[in-house]
Amino acid sequence: AQSVTQLDSHVSVSEGTPVLLRCNYSSSYSPSLFWYVQHPNKGLQLLLKYTSAATLVKGINGFEAEFKKSETSFHLTKPSAHMSDAAEYFCVVSDLLGNTPLVFGKGTRLSVIA
Amino acid sequence: EPEVTQTPSHQVTQMGQEVILRCVPISNHLYFYWYRQILGQKVEFLVSFYNNEISEKSEIFDDQFSVERPDGSNFTLKIRSTKLEDSAMYFCASTRDGTAFSYEQYFGPGTRLTVT
């Protein structure tokens, strides 16, 4: 069975400072890993995905994540937070073979303070 | 940019009533999904649909639920007799194909269902 643990339910950063959202996963298979973002009253938007290629994955809006198999982690980072980054972020795992249900973490709410 | 759309954005219904949630997936996509998110909880998988049949469903997706692709564009989720615990945000998603390396599920904005 697959599962995802997002270690922080809420993270607050100042504008211009780095962002770190933590995620650990558990999977019996080689996983695909994703980060989705949800802005208020909007759908879930894919930020980035890992599917067994490069372990450092770059996404949209300056976000990136590093797959560390030894630590079973897939933390999301951004060097400098922007006010528009305030949203809910979901770490998601799936079977690498594709077309299997996504398993979501509980989400981390990111607040950005001016 | 193509997107998944869902209607209505908010549905209020009384317990025991039937509701139909509608989704229009991206036009060249072949796999369709429903997920739900109860307030304060995780997003949970309900069902996946391919080639006009259910390909996988979770234990949440019991006999009260059904899905249908009635025409070439819509994908619907029906709840026959709603319960209070069905109150949630329901997300539709679609993906072009099932290969791992192009695999990305595109999500709609959700329908908030409130059962009173």
Side-chain angles (χ1 to χ4, degrees):
Chain A
Q2 296 165 314
S3 66
V4 171
T5 301
Q6 290 184 246
L7 297 157
D8 306 293
S9 59
H10 183 210
V11 169
S12 183
V13 300
S14 297
E15 190 176 20
T17 64
V19 175
L20 170 64
L21 304 183
R22 297 182 294 167
C23 172
N24 287 97
Y25 71 91
S26 172
S27 177
S28 303
Y29 310 101
S30 296
S32 291
L33 291 157
F34 310 81
W35 277 97
Y36 279 83
V37 61
Q38 184 181 26
H39 288 93
N41 301 316
K42 299 286 187 184
L44 295 157
Q45 181 185 20
L46 181 68
L47 273 181
L48 49 80
K49 65 181 178 183
Y50 165 78
T51 54
S52 82
T55 57
L56 182 62
V57 181
K58 293 189 185 298
I60 62 172
N61 300 333
F63 285 95
E64 62 182 39
E66 186 171 7
F67 173 71
K68 292 186 176 180
K69 186 175 180 178
S70 61
E71 299 176 11
T72 61
S73 69
F74 190 60
H75 302 332
L76 182 71
T77 59
K78 182 173 180 177
S80 176
H82 191 272
M83 296 296 289
S84 60
D85 294 329
E88 189 88 15
Y89 291 80
F90 295 94
C91 183
V92 180
V93 66
S94 181
D95 182 347
L96 181 61
L97 296 177
N99 190 32
T100 55
L102 300 180
V103 176
F104 282 73
K106 284 191 172 183
T108 298
R109 183 164 59 90
L110 176 65
S111 298
V112 182
I113 304 164
Chain B
E1 185 177 330
E3 57 183 19
V4 177
T5 60
Q6 291 185 241
T7 54
S9 57
H10 191 192
Q11 173 95 45
V12 181
T13 190
Q14 289 189 327
M15 197 166 51
Q17 296 296 305
E18 174 184 285
V19 293
I20 298 175
L21 309 183
R22 291 184 167 79
C23 169
V24 179
I26 294 173
S27 62
N28 63 346
H29 284 192
L30 301 176
Y31 293 82
F32 314 112
Y33 310 82
W34 284 102
Y35 292 80
R36 79 172 185 191
Q37 184 183 27
I38 295 171
L39 190 63
Q41 298 187 23
K42 293 183 183 186
V43 176
E44 302 171 291
F45 168 74
L46 292 178
V47 66
S48 59
F49 191 85
Y50 170 71
N51 199 26
N52 283 320
E53 60 183 26
I54 291 172
S55 53
E56 191 165 350
K57 61 182 181 179
S58 72
E59 58 190 26
I60 302 168
F61 194 86
D62 61 22
D63 292 343
Q64 293 296 314
F65 292 90
S66 63
V67 288
E68 194 178 30
R69 188 156 162 82
D71 52 41
S73 59
N74 289 284
F75 178 51
T76 62
L77 174 69
K78 181 193 289 186
I79 309 174
R80 287 188 184 80
S81 178
T82 50
K83 303 186 281 255
L84 293 175
E85 54 265 38
D86 294 326
S87 295
M89 180 73 89
Y90 288 81
F91 292 105
C92 174
S94 68
T95 188
R96 189 181 68 209
D97 58 38
T99 61
F101 298 102
S102 63
Y103 178 65
E104 176 184 339
Q105 291 188 17
Y106 291 81
F107 283 81
T111 292
R112 179 163 296 286
L113 176 65
T114 302
V115 183
T116 61

